[in-house]
Amino acid sequence: MSQKLYLPLDQCNVNAGYKAAAYQRSWGFAHYGIDLGNPNKERTVYSPGEGTVIAAGMDGADPSQRMGNALVLVFPQVERNDGKTTSLACRMFHLDTIAVKAGQKVRRGEKLGVYGNTGAVSSGPHLHLEFDTDVAYPQHAVGIKASGNIIKKGSRDTTVNPSKVWYVGPGQALYDGWGGSGVPSGWITQADLDVPGLPQEAAEPDYRAMYLAEEKKVQALKDGIGEIVQAAGRLIE
């Protein structure tokens, strides 16, 4: 069964687009993904679809090295907004914390972690995300000089522009993170922002709301048990 992917943040500032020209001039290497932030500093990262966590953890010896906290996932049978259907690897860098582990199955809307400023090539809190059609070697990233704990050195560019993949889900939005100057300066392109909304007929259950509701039920149950224990203690006294 095929699926459509949402944005990993509800409100997304695009700070550097896919293969952004200005990024390469500033950093000296190509940008094979997209850099996102949240204008309200809500840094929780949600799964854009249903898939499997392939690898998760610190890419270097400590948070200041390599890609920092990194995640690798595979999403099967993705209906991209460019009309193609392919399985995709997804790599995320610079996370502050990670909420999932290797081998775990995730659904769209499930919390993956919190983005941050870990890694050697991060100049501020953001989420770097890239999509790749090579699901046989999902941890291999082109442009990486040497292999780390999570991200391995790749030899072929099989990445896909995220703006050709995902959809803007209900309640989500994309913004120019440079306050309107991103396109003229070359840090992003208009295509990075012109992402279609999810077709109404394709809407799926809101798993995030379901998870939050279940968490509330569990907490209410814990509170109730606590009250019973306290009452029993008073009776014994």
Side-chain angles (χ1 to χ4, degrees):
M1 184 176 178
S2 60
Q3 62 176 319
K4 291 180 172 67
L5 302 186
Y6 280 12
L7 303 175
L9 309 173
D10 281 344
Q11 304 298 310
C12 290
N13 274 337
V14 180
N15 300 320
Y18 179 73
K19 296 184 178 179
Y23 185 100
Q24 184 161 356
R25 287 195 298 270
S26 296
W27 291 91
F29 51 84
H31 195 229
Y32 293 100
I34 190 168
D35 286 351
L36 302 174
N38 182 285
N40 302 316
K41 295 182 173 57
E42 172 47 62
R43 297 177 180 173
T44 302
V45 179
Y46 300 100
S47 178
E50 187 168 336
T52 303
V53 180
I54 303 301
M58 194 67 67
D59 190 41
D62 60 60
S64 67
Q65 296 180 17
R66 294 184 54 78
M67 304 303 145
N69 273 320
L71 265 177
V72 181
L73 307 99
V74 168
F75 297 108
Q77 293 300 296
V78 176
E79 287 185 54
R80 295 156 34 172
N81 70 54
D82 63 2
K84 299 177 182 179
T85 298
T86 57
S87 294
L88 292 172
C90 177
R91 294 182 286 269
M92 297 181 178
F93 306 157
H94 314 308
L95 292 153
D96 183 56
T97 59
I98 296 174
V100 292
K101 59 184 179 180
Q104 183 174 335
K105 301 292 184 182
V106 294
R107 286 180 167 177
R108 195 190 68 229
E110 187 169 352
K111 181 179 177 179
L112 297 178
V114 176
Y115 76 76
N117 190 31
T118 60
V121 289
S122 179
S123 59
H126 72 285
L127 175 69
H128 171 93
L129 180 150
E130 52 190 55
F131 288 119
D132 198 322
T133 57
D134 186 358
V135 295
Y137 299 95
Q139 292 176 248
H140 289 236
V142 66
I144 302 299
K145 294 182 179 179
S147 295
N149 298 326
I150 305 298
I151 307 302
K152 310 302 179 181
K153 180 182 178 181
S155 58
R156 296 185 304 124
D157 181 8
T158 49
T159 58
V160 181
N161 189 336
S163 71
K164 302 297 183 183
V165 171
W166 53 27
Y167 290 81
V168 177
Q172 295 187 323
L174 276 171
Y175 307 99
D176 181 341
W178 292 88
S181 64
V183 175
S185 68
W187 278 96
I188 64 176
T189 68
Q190 191 58 44
D192 293 317
L193 305 173
D194 293 340
V195 174
L198 187 74
Q200 191 65 37
E201 64 273 14
E204 298 177 11
D206 188 345
Y207 291 113
R208 191 182 314 171
M210 292 166 60
Y211 295 137
L212 292 174
E214 287 300 316
E215 285 182 355
K216 289 181 178 179
K217 289 180 182 179
V218 171
Q219 188 57 51
L221 182 60
K222 289 180 179 178
D223 293 342
I225 293 173
E227 291 176 1
I228 292 172
V229 170
Q230 290 177 3
R234 288 194 294 268
L235 288 173
I236 293 172
E237 291 174 358

